[in-house]
Amino acid sequence: MSAKHPSLFDSFLFTLRQCVSNLACAPFFCFAIFFYSFYYCWPYMEQLPDHLNIVAVDEDMTPLSRWLIQELKASPSVHVEFQAADQKEAERIMRQGGVSAILIIPPNFERDTVRDIPTALVLVSNGAFIVKARVSMNGAAGPLQEVVTGAIAGHLLEHGIPLDKLAQVKNRAPAFVFQPMFNTVNGYLNFTVPIVFVIIIQTVFTAGIGMLLNDWFWRRKYPYALALAMRSFPHFIAMYLPFFILAFLWTMYIEGASFAFHGVNAFRNVPATLAVSAVFSFAITSMAVMIATLCKRLRYIVQIIVPTSIPCVFLSGNLLPSTPAADAMLRASQAGATISEVVFPYLAHLLLLGLIFFTAAVLILRRYANDEQALAQIKDLRDGIQNEKLEKELTPKQLGKILGNVPDA
């Protein structure tokens, strides 16, 4: 107990301690995004260009095709792990894992190359994972073109082809036909993962803030941070700031350390990324506080929020912060756009949503200022009692009395 009236800093610290220690919400604020950052990205870790392993199918069976495969085996950036008799066998090897793509040398490849007839190599990528196909194809293009051109030039030189002909071959590498094995859409890492993480952060913080405020609303006396926030705008800010700071720090972690570890482009424009992260954190925090105050004592906040967040991956909506935030973050953090390039319409849209949600949360909370539990806490504070511990939960009888279902004794 303390006779000192709680300051704004007291309310701030109380809310922050509750975020990291209250079992109702601590997993959302402390662990959820950290674990998401690893197990969501984990399937894509072996799909970077420096892990390009291929199985070769030689349908030409000529000295040039054999030379080409030997050169690929010697290349430091492309590894021929297996050789298969045909494409079906190669696809079976790919399904078993260990290779990123199939390189098919078509029939008559040597003949067409020597005669200067247009020809192409076929690169089949496993498109079962949306990132694997695109990265394998893009990662293979440069190294394969270089190795193939060198191998063809060496082979032709060995067989006495004139130097002018050799120069033509070197300047015109054979084309590649890229063919995904399963997924013909070819999504890619630097687009899909940042979008999904914007939605993940939005969902996690909406659930976490909802669980904490829901736990407070069920107490026999509202915690002083909540009771004062209902009556004083500065105290509302003091209660609000820990949520905002945690959201901002976790967004920085995802865009910074997590994406750097997983090889995702991020922070291409630092000021713009910081601006988008700050406005995004403001919008999702405001939305979460508004939803939590609307739900109040509803026990199923997480059960409502998590399933309804799933359609956000596939649908856009003008009332969801994740929609403009994903557009702005992709441009600023992944593509390097400046602040001026993302202000309209993305940051402006995001800021407008945040202001609407913030205002609604303040007004809704004001409606609860005369609740019996709020008045009991305010009376304690006027008497010089400041309790840091949460009161016990309402009993069914007390709840019934508050709701008017149980007559006074």
Side-chain angles (χ1 to χ4, degrees):
M1 299 290 184
S2 170
K4 184 180 178 182
H5 193 76
S7 65
L8 296 175
F9 190 61
D10 290 331
S11 292
F12 174 86
L13 286 182
F14 176 83
T15 305
L16 184 60
R17 284 195 295 268
Q18 283 284 298
C19 287
V20 299
S21 64
N22 191 313
L23 294 180
C25 64
F28 295 97
F29 291 120
C30 299
F31 312 116
I33 294 176
F34 178 79
F35 288 124
Y36 265 121
S37 71
F38 282 95
Y39 85 72
Y40 179 72
C41 290
W42 173 76
Y44 309 124
M45 286 298 290
E46 297 301 321
Q47 297 166 24
L48 302 178
D50 59 348
H51 292 81
L52 189 62
N53 302 322
I54 65 175
V55 53
V57 179
D58 186 357
E59 296 181 348
D60 193 30
M61 300 300 291
T62 59
L64 175 58
S65 63
R66 289 192 289 270
W67 182 307
L68 177 57
I69 291 174
Q70 291 303 316
E71 290 293 309
L72 288 171
K73 287 181 177 179
S75 170
S77 55
V78 180
H79 308 287
V80 179
E81 298 289 334
F82 304 97
Q83 283 187 248
D86 52 37
Q87 185 172 344
K88 287 186 178 180
E89 181 185 353
E91 290 177 0
R92 179 182 56 78
I93 293 172
M94 180 180 282
R95 290 189 184 97
Q96 293 173 351
V99 296
S100 301
I102 302 169
L103 177 67
I104 301 175
I105 304 174
N108 303 319
F109 180 72
E110 182 183 63
R111 185 200 67 185
D112 293 342
T113 300
V114 172
R115 296 180 181 180
D116 201 20
I117 298 174
T119 185
L121 298 172
V122 179
L123 190 69
V124 180
S125 179
N126 183 351
F129 293 101
I130 57 177
V131 172
K132 188 170 187 178
R134 178 61 59 90
V135 174
S136 295
M137 290 179 179
N138 292 344
L144 281 176
Q145 291 278 14
E146 184 178 347
V147 173
V148 170
T149 302
I152 291 173
H155 176 74
L156 296 179
L157 182 63
E158 189 177 82
H159 286 76
I161 299 297
L163 291 178
D164 59 339
K165 183 75 171 179
L166 212 63
Q168 291 179 17
V169 171
K170 203 164 187 179
N171 291 329
R172 189 184 64 255
F176 278 88
V177 176
F178 294 124
Q179 176 185 331
M181 184 172 169
F182 301 115
N183 177 14
T184 58
V185 176
N186 283 335
Y188 49 96
L189 184 65
N190 282 328
F191 182 82
T192 304
V193 171
I195 288 177
V196 174
F197 266 112
V198 166
I199 297 168
I200 287 173
I201 293 172
Q202 175 179 280
T203 303
V204 167
F205 270 85
T206 304
I209 294 171
M211 288 293 291
L212 180 60
L213 294 184
N214 178 261
D215 185 56
W216 286 359
F217 277 120
W218 273 91
R219 300 297 171 173
R220 296 179 187 179
K221 292 179 185 176
Y222 293 156
Y224 67 79
L226 179 61
L228 291 172
M230 295 173 179
R231 293 169 172 266
S232 163
F233 182 73
H235 275 279
F236 176 85
I237 296 296
M239 182 192 74
Y240 177 96
L241 275 178
F243 303 141
F244 168 81
I245 291 171
L246 289 171
F248 181 76
L249 291 178
W250 277 118
T251 303
M252 288 294 93
Y253 162 76
I254 291 297
E255 292 293 327
S258 177
F259 281 178
F261 178 80
H262 292 103
V264 180
N265 290 333
F267 271 101
R268 294 305 184 213
N269 187 299
V270 175
T273 303
L274 292 173
V276 173
S277 299
V279 179
F280 172 58
S281 300
F282 168 67
I284 61 171
T285 301
S286 300
M287 183 183 73
V289 174
M290 183 196 71
I291 292 174
T293 54
L294 281 174
C295 292
K296 200 176 181 180
R297 296 190 186 94
L298 183 63
R299 285 291 198 186
Y300 306 105
I301 289 180
V302 173
Q303 290 88 334
I304 293 172
I305 290 171
V306 174
T308 54
S309 71
I310 295 174
C312 294
V313 179
F314 310 101
L315 302 175
S316 63
N318 290 329
L319 297 180
L320 296 172
S322 56
T323 301
D327 284 323
M329 195 68 82
L330 283 173
R331 286 164 172 76
S333 187
Q334 278 69 53
T338 63
I339 294 178
S340 61
E341 291 172 331
V342 296
V343 166
F344 296 105
Y346 309 111
L347 274 188
H349 183 182
L350 200 55
L351 183 60
L352 178 62
L353 288 179
L355 290 172
I356 292 172
F357 295 145
F358 183 88
T359 303
V362 172
L363 294 177
I364 294 169
L365 265 184
R366 288 287 176 90
R367 295 173 52 197
Y368 307 143
N370 293 320
D371 283 6
E372 184 177 323
Q373 300 97 308
L375 294 174
Q377 180 60 253
I378 296 299
K379 182 179 182 303
D380 279 357
L381 294 177
R382 286 173 179 166
D383 293 339
I385 302 173
Q386 179 181 324
N387 195 342
E388 293 285 337
K389 294 183 179 180
L390 296 180
E391 290 285 333
K392 293 182 179 180
E393 285 198 359
L394 292 164
T395 64
K397 184 176 181 180
Q398 289 171 322
L399 180 61
K401 181 181 177 182
I402 291 170
L403 298 176
N405 299 329
V406 176
D408 293 338

